[in-house]
Amino acid sequence: MAAAGALLRAIYVVDRAAKVTDLVPLSVLQAAFVVEGKVALAKPREVFAHLRDSGGVMLDAGLVETEGTSDDVTHAIAVEATRWQPEFLVTGTRGRRGVARWMLGSASGRVAELTQTPLLPVRKKR
């Protein structure tokens, strides 16, 4: 989907928001999210390395952090999209339906509401 000269960027949002219900210290939780993010970004980096070898596409992958307790993952993605100004966003989705979607919501749907950038939600193969 990317033409020669395109810039592809993969991000993982480290949610730094403190929650009263968390039973582990916030620093431990955040460190675990950073490790999880690095593991999650390993696959796009592998794909990007292959694309880089074939030439014509610029690639970047990295962690983005939420800002303290008043921010969340969807806002961090929207802020990053505003800063970076991509032509197109692709987000992961769990594909929740029914009561689960009503109660838990959809991060991809919220990102679509917060940005003017076209968005494609993609669910992991099972």
Side-chain angles (χ1 to χ4, degrees), residues 63-86:
L63 299 174
V64 173
E65 294 185 349
T66 57
E67 297 296 326
T69 60
S70 63
D71 200 6
D72 64 11
V73 172
T74 57
H75 282 92
I77 294 170
V79 166
E80 190 66 13
T82 299
R83 186 185 69 74
W84 185 45
Q85 298 185 340

mmCIF file with all atom_site columns, all heavy atoms in Angstrom, residues 63-86:
data_model
loop_
_atom_site.group_PDB
_atom_site.id
_atom_site.type_symbol
_atom_site.label_atom_id
_atom_site.label_alt_id
_atom_site.label_comp_id
_atom_site.label_asym_id
_atom_site.label_entity_id
_atom_site.label_seq_id
_atom_site.pdbx_PDB_ins_code
_atom_site.Cartn_x
_atom_site.Cartn_y
_atom_site.Cartn_z
_atom_site.occupancy
_atom_site.B_iso_or_equiv
_atom_site.pdbx_formal_charge
_atom_site.auth_seq_id
_atom_site.auth_comp_id
_atom_site.auth_asym_id
_atom_site.auth_atom_id
_atom_site.pdbx_PDB_model_num
ATOM 1   N N   . LEU A 1 63 ? 8.214  3.838  20.722 1.00 0.00 ? 63 LEU A N   1
ATOM 2   C CA  . LEU A 1 63 ? 7.250  3.951  21.804 1.00 0.00 ? 63 LEU A CA  1
ATOM 3   C C   . LEU A 1 63 ? 6.756  5.386  21.918 1.00 0.00 ? 63 LEU A C   1
ATOM 4   O O   . LEU A 1 63 ? 7.517  6.329  21.726 1.00 0.00 ? 63 LEU A O   1
ATOM 5   C CB  . LEU A 1 63 ? 7.896  3.543  23.134 1.00 0.00 ? 63 LEU A CB  1
ATOM 6   C CG  . LEU A 1 63 ? 8.419  2.110  23.229 1.00 0.00 ? 63 LEU A CG  1
ATOM 7   C CD1 . LEU A 1 63 ? 9.156  1.913  24.549 1.00 0.00 ? 63 LEU A CD1 1
ATOM 8   C CD2 . LEU A 1 63 ? 7.296  1.106  23.104 1.00 0.00 ? 63 LEU A CD2 1
ATOM 9   N N   . VAL A 1 64 ? 5.476  5.535  22.237 1.00 0.00 ? 64 VAL A N   1
ATOM 10  C CA  . VAL A 1 64 ? 4.860  6.832  22.529 1.00 0.00 ? 64 VAL A CA  1
ATOM 11  C C   . VAL A 1 64 ? 4.228  6.679  23.903 1.00 0.00 ? 64 VAL A C   1
ATOM 12  O O   . VAL A 1 64 ? 3.601  5.654  24.177 1.00 0.00 ? 64 VAL A O   1
ATOM 13  C CB  . VAL A 1 64 ? 3.778  7.191  21.480 1.00 0.00 ? 64 VAL A CB  1
ATOM 14  C CG1 . VAL A 1 64 ? 3.016  8.438  21.873 1.00 0.00 ? 64 VAL A CG1 1
ATOM 15  C CG2 . VAL A 1 64 ? 4.406  7.349  20.101 1.00 0.00 ? 64 VAL A CG2 1
ATOM 16  N N   . GLU A 1 65 ? 4.401  7.656  24.780 1.00 0.00 ? 65 GLU A N   1
ATOM 17  C CA  . GLU A 1 65 ? 3.843  7.554  26.126 1.00 0.00 ? 65 GLU A CA  1
ATOM 18  C C   . GLU A 1 65 ? 2.668  8.496  26.303 1.00 0.00 ? 65 GLU A C   1
ATOM 19  O O   . GLU A 1 65 ? 2.651  9.591  25.743 1.00 0.00 ? 65 GLU A O   1
ATOM 20  C CB  . GLU A 1 65 ? 4.909  7.880  27.168 1.00 0.00 ? 65 GLU A CB  1
ATOM 21  C CG  . GLU A 1 65 ? 6.029  6.865  27.207 1.00 0.00 ? 65 GLU A CG  1
ATOM 22  C CD  . GLU A 1 65 ? 7.026  7.127  28.322 1.00 0.00 ? 65 GLU A CD  1
ATOM 23  O OE1 . GLU A 1 65 ? 6.975  8.202  28.948 1.00 0.00 ? 65 GLU A OE1 1
ATOM 24  O OE2 . GLU A 1 65 ? 7.858  6.247  28.559 1.00 0.00 ? 65 GLU A OE2 1
ATOM 25  N N   . THR A 1 66 ? 1.693  8.049  27.087 1.00 0.00 ? 66 THR A N   1
ATOM 26  C CA  . THR A 1 66 ? 0.608  8.953  27.463 1.00 0.00 ? 66 THR A CA  1
ATOM 27  C C   . THR A 1 66 ? 1.173  9.975  28.445 1.00 0.00 ? 66 THR A C   1
ATOM 28  O O   . THR A 1 66 ? 2.207  9.756  29.054 1.00 0.00 ? 66 THR A O   1
ATOM 29  C CB  . THR A 1 66 ? -0.566 8.194  28.120 1.00 0.00 ? 66 THR A CB  1
ATOM 30  O OG1 . THR A 1 66 ? -0.085 7.491  29.257 1.00 0.00 ? 66 THR A OG1 1
ATOM 31  C CG2 . THR A 1 66 ? -1.239 7.240  27.153 1.00 0.00 ? 66 THR A CG2 1
ATOM 32  N N   . GLU A 1 67 ? 0.482  11.079 28.583 1.00 0.00 ? 67 GLU A N   1
ATOM 33  C CA  . GLU A 1 67 ? 0.937  12.157 29.458 1.00 0.00 ? 67 GLU A CA  1
ATOM 34  C C   . GLU A 1 67 ? 0.212  12.097 30.794 1.00 0.00 ? 67 GLU A C   1
ATOM 35  O O   . GLU A 1 67 ? -0.891 12.613 30.926 1.00 0.00 ? 67 GLU A O   1
ATOM 36  C CB  . GLU A 1 67 ? 0.690  13.514 28.792 1.00 0.00 ? 67 GLU A CB  1
ATOM 37  C CG  . GLU A 1 67 ? 1.458  13.710 27.504 1.00 0.00 ? 67 GLU A CG  1
ATOM 38  C CD  . GLU A 1 67 ? 2.962  13.731 27.714 1.00 0.00 ? 67 GLU A CD  1
ATOM 39  O OE1 . GLU A 1 67 ? 3.422  14.230 28.763 1.00 0.00 ? 67 GLU A OE1 1
ATOM 40  O OE2 . GLU A 1 67 ? 3.677  13.242 26.828 1.00 0.00 ? 67 GLU A OE2 1
ATOM 41  N N   . GLY A 1 68 ? 0.810  11.464 31.790 1.00 0.00 ? 68 GLY A N   1
ATOM 42  C CA  . GLY A 1 68 ? 0.280  11.475 33.145 1.00 0.00 ? 68 GLY A CA  1
ATOM 43  C C   . GLY A 1 68 ? -1.100 10.857 33.280 1.00 0.00 ? 68 GLY A C   1
ATOM 44  O O   . GLY A 1 68 ? -1.492 9.990  32.509 1.00 0.00 ? 68 GLY A O   1
ATOM 45  N N   . THR A 1 69 ? -1.859 11.331 34.257 1.00 0.00 ? 69 THR A N   1
ATOM 46  C CA  . THR A 1 69 ? -3.124 10.698 34.600 1.00 0.00 ? 69 THR A CA  1
ATOM 47  C C   . THR A 1 69 ? -4.310 11.168 33.776 1.00 0.00 ? 69 THR A C   1
ATOM 48  O O   . THR A 1 69 ? -5.351 10.541 33.789 1.00 0.00 ? 69 THR A O   1
ATOM 49  C CB  . THR A 1 69 ? -3.449 10.929 36.086 1.00 0.00 ? 69 THR A CB  1
ATOM 50  O OG1 . THR A 1 69 ? -3.530 12.331 36.308 1.00 0.00 ? 69 THR A OG1 1
ATOM 51  C CG2 . THR A 1 69 ? -2.416 10.303 36.980 1.00 0.00 ? 69 THR A CG2 1
ATOM 52  N N   . SER A 1 70 ? -4.193 12.285 33.063 1.00 0.00 ? 70 SER A N   1
ATOM 53  C CA  . SER A 1 70 ? -5.357 12.798 32.340 1.00 0.00 ? 70 SER A CA  1
ATOM 54  C C   . SER A 1 70 ? -5.379 12.376 30.876 1.00 0.00 ? 70 SER A C   1
ATOM 55  O O   . SER A 1 70 ? -6.260 12.776 30.135 1.00 0.00 ? 70 SER A O   1
ATOM 56  C CB  . SER A 1 70 ? -5.387 14.330 32.432 1.00 0.00 ? 70 SER A CB  1
ATOM 57  O OG  . SER A 1 70 ? -4.236 14.863 31.804 1.00 0.00 ? 70 SER A OG  1
ATOM 58  N N   . ASP A 1 71 ? -4.443 11.580 30.457 1.00 0.00 ? 71 ASP A N   1
ATOM 59  C CA  . ASP A 1 71 ? -4.321 11.174 29.062 1.00 0.00 ? 71 ASP A CA  1
ATOM 60  C C   . ASP A 1 71 ? -4.683 9.696  28.941 1.00 0.00 ? 71 ASP A C   1
ATOM 61  O O   . ASP A 1 71 ? -4.702 8.962  29.917 1.00 0.00 ? 71 ASP A O   1
ATOM 62  C CB  . ASP A 1 71 ? -2.884 11.419 28.601 1.00 0.00 ? 71 ASP A CB  1
ATOM 63  C CG  . ASP A 1 71 ? -2.733 11.497 27.104 1.00 0.00 ? 71 ASP A CG  1
ATOM 64  O OD1 . ASP A 1 71 ? -3.760 11.477 26.392 1.00 0.00 ? 71 ASP A OD1 1
ATOM 65  O OD2 . ASP A 1 71 ? -1.592 11.587 26.633 1.00 0.00 ? 71 ASP A OD2 1
ATOM 66  N N   . ASP A 1 72 ? -4.984 9.271  27.729 1.00 0.00 ? 72 ASP A N   1
ATOM 67  C CA  . ASP A 1 72 ? -5.202 7.850  27.489 1.00 0.00 ? 72 ASP A CA  1
ATOM 68  C C   . ASP A 1 72 ? -4.612 7.470  26.139 1.00 0.00 ? 72 ASP A C   1
ATOM 69  O O   . ASP A 1 72 ? -4.102 8.313  25.405 1.00 0.00 ? 72 ASP A O   1
ATOM 70  C CB  . ASP A 1 72 ? -6.681 7.468  27.603 1.00 0.00 ? 72 ASP A CB  1
ATOM 71  C CG  . ASP A 1 72 ? -7.564 8.123  26.540 1.00 0.00 ? 72 ASP A CG  1
ATOM 72  O OD1 . ASP A 1 72 ? -7.036 8.720  25.580 1.00 0.00 ? 72 ASP A OD1 1
ATOM 73  O OD2 . ASP A 1 72 ? -8.782 8.024  26.661 1.00 0.00 ? 72 ASP A OD2 1
ATOM 74  N N   . VAL A 1 73 ? -4.663 6.186  25.828 1.00 0.00 ? 73 VAL A N   1
ATOM 75  C CA  . VAL A 1 73 ? -4.038 5.659  24.610 1.00 0.00 ? 73 VAL A CA  1
ATOM 76  C C   . VAL A 1 73 ? -4.603 6.323  23.363 1.00 0.00 ? 73 VAL A C   1
ATOM 77  O O   . VAL A 1 73 ? -3.853 6.729  22.468 1.00 0.00 ? 73 VAL A O   1
ATOM 78  C CB  . VAL A 1 73 ? -4.186 4.123  24.557 1.00 0.00 ? 73 VAL A CB  1
ATOM 79  C CG1 . VAL A 1 73 ? -3.723 3.581  23.219 1.00 0.00 ? 73 VAL A CG1 1
ATOM 80  C CG2 . VAL A 1 73 ? -3.416 3.473  25.692 1.00 0.00 ? 73 VAL A CG2 1
ATOM 81  N N   . THR A 1 74 ? -5.925 6.446  23.279 1.00 0.00 ? 74 THR A N   1
ATOM 82  C CA  . THR A 1 74 ? -6.525 7.011  22.070 1.00 0.00 ? 74 THR A CA  1
ATOM 83  C C   . THR A 1 74 ? -6.117 8.462  21.861 1.00 0.00 ? 74 THR A C   1
ATOM 84  O O   . THR A 1 74 ? -5.847 8.871  20.730 1.00 0.00 ? 74 THR A O   1
ATOM 85  C CB  . THR A 1 74 ? -8.062 6.892  22.096 1.00 0.00 ? 74 THR A CB  1
ATOM 86  O OG1 . THR A 1 74 ? -8.567 7.532  23.264 1.00 0.00 ? 74 THR A OG1 1
ATOM 87  C CG2 . THR A 1 74 ? -8.500 5.447  22.086 1.00 0.00 ? 74 THR A CG2 1
ATOM 88  N N   . HIS A 1 75 ? -6.052 9.231  22.930 1.00 0.00 ? 75 HIS A N   1
ATOM 89  C CA  . HIS A 1 75 ? -5.607 10.622 22.799 1.00 0.00 ? 75 HIS A CA  1
ATOM 90  C C   . HIS A 1 75 ? -4.129 10.703 22.410 1.00 0.00 ? 75 HIS A C   1
ATOM 91  O O   . HIS A 1 75 ? -3.730 11.568 21.631 1.00 0.00 ? 75 HIS A O   1
ATOM 92  C CB  . HIS A 1 75 ? -5.867 11.410 24.081 1.00 0.00 ? 75 HIS A CB  1
ATOM 93  C CG  . HIS A 1 75 ? -7.284 11.829 24.223 1.00 0.00 ? 75 HIS A CG  1
ATOM 94  N ND1 . HIS A 1 75 ? -8.210 11.069 24.897 1.00 0.00 ? 75 HIS A ND1 1
ATOM 95  C CD2 . HIS A 1 75 ? -7.955 12.901 23.742 1.00 0.00 ? 75 HIS A CD2 1
ATOM 96  C CE1 . HIS A 1 75 ? -9.375 11.667 24.841 1.00 0.00 ? 75 HIS A CE1 1
ATOM 97  N NE2 . HIS A 1 75 ? -9.259 12.773 24.133 1.00 0.00 ? 75 HIS A NE2 1
ATOM 98  N N   . ALA A 1 76 ? -3.307 9.802  22.943 1.00 0.00 ? 76 ALA A N   1
ATOM 99  C CA  . ALA A 1 76 ? -1.891 9.782  22.579 1.00 0.00 ? 76 ALA A CA  1
ATOM 100 C C   . ALA A 1 76 ? -1.719 9.498  21.091 1.00 0.00 ? 76 ALA A C   1
ATOM 101 O O   . ALA A 1 76 ? -0.886 10.106 20.417 1.00 0.00 ? 76 ALA A O   1
ATOM 102 C CB  . ALA A 1 76 ? -1.142 8.756  23.423 1.00 0.00 ? 76 ALA A CB  1
ATOM 103 N N   . ILE A 1 77 ? -2.517 8.573  20.550 1.00 0.00 ? 77 ILE A N   1
ATOM 104 C CA  . ILE A 1 77 ? -2.461 8.276  19.114 1.00 0.00 ? 77 ILE A CA  1
ATOM 105 C C   . ILE A 1 77 ? -2.913 9.491  18.312 1.00 0.00 ? 77 ILE A C   1
ATOM 106 O O   . ILE A 1 77 ? -2.284 9.863  17.311 1.00 0.00 ? 77 ILE A O   1
ATOM 107 C CB  . ILE A 1 77 ? -3.318 7.038  18.772 1.00 0.00 ? 77 ILE A CB  1
ATOM 108 C CG1 . ILE A 1 77 ? -2.721 5.790  19.415 1.00 0.00 ? 77 ILE A CG1 1
ATOM 109 C CG2 . ILE A 1 77 ? -3.440 6.866  17.253 1.00 0.00 ? 77 ILE A CG2 1
ATOM 110 C CD1 . ILE A 1 77 ? -3.612 4.563  19.345 1.00 0.00 ? 77 ILE A CD1 1
ATOM 111 N N   . ALA A 1 78 ? -3.988 10.141 18.756 1.00 0.00 ? 78 ALA A N   1
ATOM 112 C CA  . ALA A 1 78 ? -4.496 11.326 18.050 1.00 0.00 ? 78 ALA A CA  1
ATOM 113 C C   . ALA A 1 78 ? -3.478 12.460 18.073 1.00 0.00 ? 78 ALA A C   1
ATOM 114 O O   . ALA A 1 78 ? -3.265 13.132 17.057 1.00 0.00 ? 78 ALA A O   1
ATOM 115 C CB  . ALA A 1 78 ? -5.819 11.784 18.661 1.00 0.00 ? 78 ALA A CB  1
ATOM 116 N N   . VAL A 1 79 ? -2.829 12.676 19.213 1.00 0.00 ? 79 VAL A N   1
ATOM 117 C CA  . VAL A 1 79 ? -1.801 13.718 19.314 1.00 0.00 ? 79 VAL A CA  1
ATOM 118 C C   . VAL A 1 79 ? -0.632 13.393 18.389 1.00 0.00 ? 79 VAL A C   1
ATOM 119 O O   . VAL A 1 79 ? -0.114 14.253 17.676 1.00 0.00 ? 79 VAL A O   1
ATOM 120 C CB  . VAL A 1 79 ? -1.321 13.890 20.774 1.00 0.00 ? 79 VAL A CB  1
ATOM 121 C CG1 . VAL A 1 79 ? -0.044 14.703 20.860 1.00 0.00 ? 79 VAL A CG1 1
ATOM 122 C CG2 . VAL A 1 79 ? -2.419 14.516 21.615 1.00 0.00 ? 79 VAL A CG2 1
ATOM 123 N N   . GLU A 1 80 ? -0.217 12.130 18.382 1.00 0.00 ? 80 GLU A N   1
ATOM 124 C CA  . GLU A 1 80 ? 0.877  11.710 17.503 1.00 0.00 ? 80 GLU A CA  1
ATOM 125 C C   . GLU A 1 80 ? 0.496  11.893 16.037 1.00 0.00 ? 80 GLU A C   1
ATOM 126 O O   . GLU A 1 80 ? 1.304  12.343 15.227 1.00 0.00 ? 80 GLU A O   1
ATOM 127 C CB  . GLU A 1 80 ? 1.240  10.251 17.798 1.00 0.00 ? 80 GLU A CB  1
ATOM 128 C CG  . GLU A 1 80 ? 2.490  9.774  17.130 1.00 0.00 ? 80 GLU A CG  1
ATOM 129 C CD  . GLU A 1 80 ? 3.755  10.446 17.625 1.00 0.00 ? 80 GLU A CD  1
ATOM 130 O OE1 . GLU A 1 80 ? 3.749  11.136 18.661 1.00 0.00 ? 80 GLU A OE1 1
ATOM 131 O OE2 . GLU A 1 80 ? 4.791  10.292 16.939 1.00 0.00 ? 80 GLU A OE2 1
ATOM 132 N N   . ALA A 1 81 ? -0.750 11.580 15.686 1.00 0.00 ? 81 ALA A N   1
ATOM 133 C CA  . ALA A 1 81 ? -1.214 11.765 14.309 1.00 0.00 ? 81 ALA A CA  1
ATOM 134 C C   . ALA A 1 81 ? -1.231 13.246 13.933 1.00 0.00 ? 81 ALA A C   1
ATOM 135 O O   . ALA A 1 81 ? -0.867 13.612 12.813 1.00 0.00 ? 81 ALA A O   1
ATOM 136 C CB  . ALA A 1 81 ? -2.601 11.156 14.127 1.00 0.00 ? 81 ALA A CB  1
ATOM 137 N N   . THR A 1 82 ? -1.614 14.101 14.859 1.00 0.00 ? 82 THR A N   1
ATOM 138 C CA  . THR A 1 82 ? -1.600 15.546 14.598 1.00 0.00 ? 82 THR A CA  1
ATOM 139 C C   . THR A 1 82 ? -0.162 16.035 14.399 1.00 0.00 ? 82 THR A C   1
ATOM 140 O O   . THR A 1 82 ? 0.125  16.814 13.504 1.00 0.00 ? 82 THR A O   1
ATOM 141 C CB  . THR A 1 82 ? -2.267 16.309 15.759 1.00 0.00 ? 82 THR A CB  1
ATOM 142 O OG1 . THR A 1 82 ? -3.622 15.877 15.871 1.00 0.00 ? 82 THR A OG1 1
ATOM 143 C CG2 . THR A 1 82 ? -2.229 17.805 15.529 1.00 0.00 ? 82 THR A CG2 1
ATOM 144 N N   . ARG A 1 83 ? 0.738  15.544 15.250 1.00 0.00 ? 83 ARG A N   1
ATOM 145 C CA  . ARG A 1 83 ? 2.149  15.954 15.171 1.00 0.00 ? 83 ARG A CA  1
ATOM 146 C C   . ARG A 1 83 ? 2.803  15.442 13.891 1.00 0.00 ? 83 ARG A C   1
ATOM 147 O O   . ARG A 1 83 ? 3.507  16.157 13.197 1.00 0.00 ? 83 ARG A O   1
ATOM 148 C CB  . ARG A 1 83 ? 2.903  15.417 16.392 1.00 0.00 ? 83 ARG A CB  1
ATOM 149 C CG  . ARG A 1 83 ? 4.347  15.903 16.490 1.00 0.00 ? 83 ARG A CG  1
ATOM 150 C CD  . ARG A 1 83 ? 5.094  15.252 17.643 1.00 0.00 ? 83 ARG A CD  1
ATOM 151 N NE  . ARG A 1 83 ? 5.355  13.837 17.447 1.00 0.00 ? 83 ARG A NE  1
ATOM 152 C CZ  . ARG A 1 83 ? 6.268  13.347 16.612 1.00 0.00 ? 83 ARG A CZ  1
ATOM 153 N NH1 . ARG A 1 83 ? 6.990  14.139 15.869 1.00 0.00 ? 83 ARG A NH1 1
ATOM 154 N NH2 . ARG A 1 83 ? 6.451  12.044 16.517 1.00 0.00 ? 83 ARG A NH2 1
ATOM 155 N N   . TRP A 1 84 ? 2.537  14.206 13.553 1.00 0.00 ? 84 TRP A N   1
ATOM 156 C CA  . TRP A 1 84 ? 3.205  13.560 12.432 1.00 0.00 ? 84 TRP A CA  1
ATOM 157 C C   . TRP A 1 84 ? 2.503  13.820 11.105 1.00 0.00 ? 84 TRP A C   1
ATOM 158 O O   . TRP A 1 84 ? 3.111  13.760 10.047 1.00 0.00 ? 84 TRP A O   1
ATOM 159 C CB  . TRP A 1 84 ? 3.298  12.069 12.737 1.00 0.00 ? 84 TRP A CB  1
ATOM 160 C CG  . TRP A 1 84 ? 4.054  11.266 11.742 1.00 0.00 ? 84 TRP A CG  1
ATOM 161 C CD1 . TRP A 1 84 ? 5.254  11.573 11.179 1.00 0.00 ? 84 TRP A CD1 1
ATOM 162 C CD2 . TRP A 1 84 ? 3.661  10.023 11.193 1.00 0.00 ? 84 TRP A CD2 1
ATOM 163 N NE1 . TRP A 1 84 ? 5.626  10.588 10.310 1.00 0.00 ? 84 TRP A NE1 1
ATOM 164 C CE2 . TRP A 1 84 ? 4.668  9.616  10.295 1.00 0.00 ? 84 TRP A CE2 1
ATOM 165 C CE3 . TRP A 1 84 ? 2.564  9.203  11.370 1.00 0.00 ? 84 TRP A CE3 1
ATOM 166 C CZ2 . TRP A 1 84 ? 4.608  8.424  9.589  1.00 0.00 ? 84 TRP A CZ2 1
ATOM 167 C CZ3 . TRP A 1 84 ? 2.511  8.019  10.669 1.00 0.00 ? 84 TRP A CZ3 1
ATOM 168 C CH2 . TRP A 1 84 ? 3.515  7.637  9.791  1.00 0.00 ? 84 TRP A CH2 1
ATOM 169 N N   . GLN A 1 85 ? 1.192  14.024 11.111 1.00 0.00 ? 85 GLN A N   1
ATOM 170 C CA  . GLN A 1 85 ? 0.351  14.285 9.942  1.00 0.00 ? 85 GLN A CA  1
ATOM 171 C C   . GLN A 1 85 ? 0.444  13.192 8.869  1.00 0.00 ? 85 GLN A C   1
ATOM 172 O O   . GLN A 1 85 ? 0.779  13.461 7.715  1.00 0.00 ? 85 GLN A O   1
ATOM 173 C CB  . GLN A 1 85 ? 0.667  15.653 9.349  1.00 0.00 ? 85 GLN A CB  1
ATOM 174 C CG  . GLN A 1 85 ? 0.386  16.776 10.314 1.00 0.00 ? 85 GLN A CG  1
ATOM 175 C CD  . GLN A 1 85 ? 0.572  18.141 9.700  1.00 0.00 ? 85 GLN A CD  1
ATOM 176 O OE1 . GLN A 1 85 ? 1.236  18.305 8.686  1.00 0.00 ? 85 GLN A OE1 1
ATOM 177 N NE2 . GLN A 1 85 ? -0.046 19.118 10.317 1.00 0.00 ? 85 GLN A NE2 1
ATOM 178 N N   . PRO A 1 86 ? 0.093  11.962 9.242  1.00 0.00 ? 86 PRO A N   1
ATOM 179 C CA  . PRO A 1 86 ? 0.102  10.884 8.249  1.00 0.00 ? 86 PRO A CA  1
ATOM 180 C C   . PRO A 1 86 ? -1.073 11.020 7.292  1.00 0.00 ? 86 PRO A C   1
ATOM 181 O O   . PRO A 1 86 ? -2.063 11.683 7.591  1.00 0.00 ? 86 PRO A O   1
ATOM 182 C CB  . PRO A 1 86 ? -0.048 9.624  9.107  1.00 0.00 ? 86 PRO A CB  1
ATOM 183 C CG  . PRO A 1 86 ? -0.836 10.085 10.288 1.00 0.00 ? 86 PRO A CG  1
ATOM 184 C CD  . PRO A 1 86 ? -0.368 11.496 10.549 1.00 0.00 ? 86 PRO A CD  1
#
